[in-house]
Amino acid sequence: MRYLSIAFLAMLLVGCSEMTTKLIVDKVQPGTVLIADELGNGQGGIGTGFIVKENTIVTNHHVIAEPGKIYIYSPNSKKKYEAEVVFKDEIVDLAILKLKDWEAFEKETSPAIVQLGNSDETEQGEKIIVIGHPWGLDWTVSEGIMSHKGRRLGANPKFLDQVDAKLFQGNSGGPIFNEDGEVICVSNMMVAKEGGSYGFCIPSNLVKKVLYDVE
C-alpha cells in the first residue's frame, strides 16, 4: 500500500481549508459602502450597503427612509458620492440605490462586486463575517456563527436569520458573509435583552428575489 507523504497531506489540507477572515475581508471590503442620509438640518443617520453589480447598491429601507440627500462613501476614498433610491420596500425592509455618477466612483475607488450566496444552504453553526458602520465608527468587522434559521419577529411576515456576531446601529443594510466570501444575509436589526443582544438579518435569497423583481 502506498502512503501519502506528510507534505502532500499538508498541501491537500491547506487547499481544502476555508479562507481566513482576513482574506475574506480583504476580498470583499471594497464592495461595501457607508451610507449617509443627510437631512439638511445637521441631522440624519448612517447605515451600510454593498455593491451587487455595476451601479447597484443594496441596503435596508429604514436606512434611507427619511427624505434627505443620500451619499455613499467607499473604503478607498474619503470623498462622498451622491446616490438616489431606485427601489424601496418597507415591509421587506430593503432598498436599492444607484450613484448619480457611477463612472467617477468606479474610476476613483476601484469598487468590488460582491456575490450573493444561497442562504438556504447556510446551516446553523456555520461561520459568518459582518462588515458595517457602527455610529461614530467605520468599516468595523465582527465574526460569529449562524445561530438560527427562519425566525419570525412580531407581526412582520418575513423570516429572518439569527447571528451571534455583534450588530450595531449603523450596521443596518450591511452584508453578512459566509466562509466563501458570499453575502448570505443582510444586517437588519438588533434586539437587546437583559444579559445580551440578538442580531437578525434578511436572507440573501430574499434579496435575489427583490433584485429579480426590480429588473
Side-chain angles (χ1 to χ4, degrees), residues 10-197:
M11 289 174 63
L12 283 177
L13 290 171
V14 170
C16 294
S17 64
E18 65 187 42
M19 287 194 293
T20 66
T21 300
K22 183 180 185 308
L23 284 176
I24 292 173
V25 172
D26 289 345
K27 173 186 175 184
V28 302
Q29 186 164 279
T32 67
V33 297
L34 185 154
I35 300 172
D37 188 1
E38 299 183 6
L39 303 182
N41 57 2
Q43 298 181 350
I46 67 166
T48 309
F50 55 98
I51 305 168
V52 293
K53 57 183 177 180
E54 184 173 317
N55 203 13
T56 304
I57 297 170
V58 174
T59 189
N60 283 156
H61 171 270
H62 72 260
V63 170
I64 51 84
E66 296 292 339
K69 282 194 173 182
I70 299 169
Y71 294 99
I72 300 297
Y73 295 81
S74 161
N76 297 330
S77 173
K78 293 183 179 179
K79 181 179 177 181
K80 65 182 182 181
Y81 300 83
E82 191 171 354
E84 58 185 350
V85 180
V86 297
F87 173 83
K88 57 184 179 180
D89 187 320
E90 185 176 359
I91 301 299
V92 178
D93 199 12
L94 288 173
I96 298 174
L97 313 179
K98 289 188 181 293
L99 290 164
K100 292 189 175 181
D101 192 347
W102 170 260
E103 290 184 0
F105 178 82
E106 187 175 33
K107 180 179 179 180
E108 295 165 8
T109 70
S110 300
I113 304 296
V114 299
Q115 302 300 312
L116 290 169
N118 185 347
S119 53
D120 289 344
E121 294 180 351
T122 305
E123 297 181 353
Q124 188 178 42
E126 291 188 5
K127 183 175 87 170
I128 54 95
I129 296 167
V130 179
I131 298 180
H133 305 283
W135 286 0
L137 302 172
D138 61 8
W139 280 279
T140 298
V141 177
S142 59
E143 183 179 273
I145 61 170
M146 180 64 67
S147 298
H148 194 86
K149 302 278 294 180
R151 298 284 196 197
R152 178 171 280 179
L153 304 180
N156 198 313
K158 69 176 182 287
F159 287 95
L160 300 173
D161 290 341
Q162 178 186 340
V163 298
D164 76 339
K166 289 289 186 182
L167 300 185
F168 305 93
Q169 289 184 324
N171 277 89
S172 292
I176 297 179
F177 298 94
N178 62 15
E179 63 187 24
D180 296 319
E182 300 170 327
V183 179
I184 45 84
C185 227
V186 180
S187 298
N188 189 235
M189 70 173 71
M190 177 193 69
V191 178
K193 299 287 186 180
E194 184 177 352
S197 62

